[in-house]
Amino acid sequence: ITVIGWKKVESSVSKVVDAKNKIYSFNNILIIEDVKSKVEIFDVSGRLVQASTVQGMFRSAYLNPGFYVIKVDNASKKVSIR
């Protein structure tokens, strides 16, 4: 196979910024410190699981074990709940 050129694919995803907040879990509850405005939790299928507007510390509802994408103040982080 000879590749002549790659087609440029447009993406709706802008630059991903890594969240700097301290994020950890305890008993399947996600805890995020130093939140300035908004938290969104997405499961691996992209479904919004929980969203909240908060300042300071955020505590999620109980989350099933699995992988989640956390969006905090327009930055993102991948986490695993075991």
Side-chain angles (χ1 to χ4, degrees):
I1 297 175
T2 303
V3 177
I4 303 299
W6 295 102
K7 180 180 177 183
K8 184 176 180 178
V9 177
E10 295 297 322
S11 173
S12 62
V13 177
S14 59
K15 183 179 176 187
V16 176
V17 178
D18 193 34
K20 304 296 183 203
N21 305 67
K22 185 174 181 180
I23 301 173
Y24 54 97
S25 65
F26 180 74
N27 292 334
N28 292 61
I29 294 174
L30 198 62
I31 301 166
I32 306 171
E33 297 181 359
D34 301 321
V35 178
K36 301 207 179 357
S37 63
K38 188 173 184 179
V39 174
E40 296 174 310
I41 302 173
F42 299 90
D43 64 12
V44 292
S45 66
R47 184 176 61 95
L48 180 63
V49 175
Q50 187 175 355
S52 181
T53 301
V54 64
Q55 289 185 343
M57 184 181 288
F58 168 82
R59 296 175 65 106
S60 73
Y62 178 89
L63 296 170
N64 291 322
F67 293 98
Y68 294 88
V69 174
I70 313 303
K71 187 173 179 185
V72 183
D73 303 327
N74 295 318
S76 301
K77 190 78 162 184
K78 291 182 279 185
V79 298
S80 173
I81 302 292
R82 300 180 200 198

